[in-house]
Amino acid sequence: MNRPLPFDPIARAAQFWEDRIGPAGTMAAVTGVMRVQQIIQSAVDGALKPHGLTFARYEALVLLTFSRHARLPMRVMGERLQLHPTSVTNIVDRLERDGLVKRVPHPTDRRTTLVEITENGRARREAATAAVVGIDFGLTGLTERQVGQLTELLTKVRKSAGDFTE
């Protein structure tokens, strides 16, 4: 990480924006969200790297762990992870190569392939979970109540963007 700046560059940019363009509230909020995303991504990547995982692969292992039978069709994985089928295929390829998941035929639909987490996958997911929980997923500096408020606000944005309908 770089040394901290002696001022908040987003606040300074917002002031320039306000002086030269107009209201800066949304610009400052979006810029702040983007910067926080970078901070979180760096922290989570650092916690997952020793476990040989990216966040996308970690999410896939968690999703499989949460499923009733520890396996899901690739199509369902893509829907739940909100990823393009090609991305799901790439994630599963890497996890399979590392022995963390295996592809198995669907018992009643020959056109469908299931992805099943292996015992090695469960163990890796458990260790990786301890690592990301240990750093609070990189989201530091907030109280539990503030984390709840942030989640609520981000959920409103996601719903408004069409991420989900409930």
Side-chain angles (χ1 to χ4, degrees):
M1 175 156 169
N2 298 331
R3 287 192 336 235
L5 295 173
F7 62 92
D8 180 349
I10 295 173
R12 184 168 287 174
Q15 186 59 57
F16 287 134
W17 186 281
E18 190 82 31
D19 293 345
R20 298 177 184 174
I21 298 174
T26 304
M27 182 282 295
V30 169
T31 304
V33 167
M34 299 293 238
R35 177 61 186 135
V36 168
Q37 189 274 337
Q38 292 171 335
I39 292 166
I40 292 170
Q41 186 75 49
S42 178
V44 170
D45 285 348
L48 292 175
K49 188 173 183 173
H51 304 282
L53 294 171
T54 62
F55 190 66
R57 291 194 291 264
Y58 172 71
E59 277 188 308
L61 291 176
V62 170
L63 177 63
L64 291 169
T65 301
F66 287 168
S67 70
R68 188 179 332 218
H69 301 290
R71 63 182 181 203
L72 289 170
M74 288 181 64
R75 176 190 54 77
V76 172
M77 289 181 69
E79 289 170 0
R80 301 233 176 108
L81 296 171
Q82 298 176 303
L83 295 172
H84 188 275
T86 303
S87 296
V88 176
T89 299
N90 290 335
I91 289 167
V92 170
D93 286 347
R94 292 289 304 267
L95 290 170
E96 187 174 40
R97 189 176 71 224
D98 292 344
L100 305 177
V101 301
K102 62 183 177 181
R103 287 177 168 94
V104 295
H106 192 283
T108 60
D109 184 353
R110 294 183 324 167
R111 298 168 298 166
T112 301
T113 298
L114 300 173
V115 178
E116 183 175 281
I117 192 166
T118 64
E119 285 305 314
N120 285 342
R122 288 179 193 276
R124 183 85 57 95
R125 195 260 335 136
E126 194 172 312
T129 297
V132 293
V133 168
I135 61 157
D136 285 331
F137 281 85
L139 190 60
T140 59
L142 300 178
T143 66
E144 190 174 323
R145 181 173 163 269
Q146 290 169 327
V147 169
Q149 291 171 326
L150 177 61
T151 301
E152 183 180 325
L153 292 171
L154 294 174
T155 299
K156 287 181 180 189
V157 173
R158 292 176 41 239
K159 185 174 182 182
S160 175
D163 231 11
F164 61 96
T165 58
E166 291 181 17

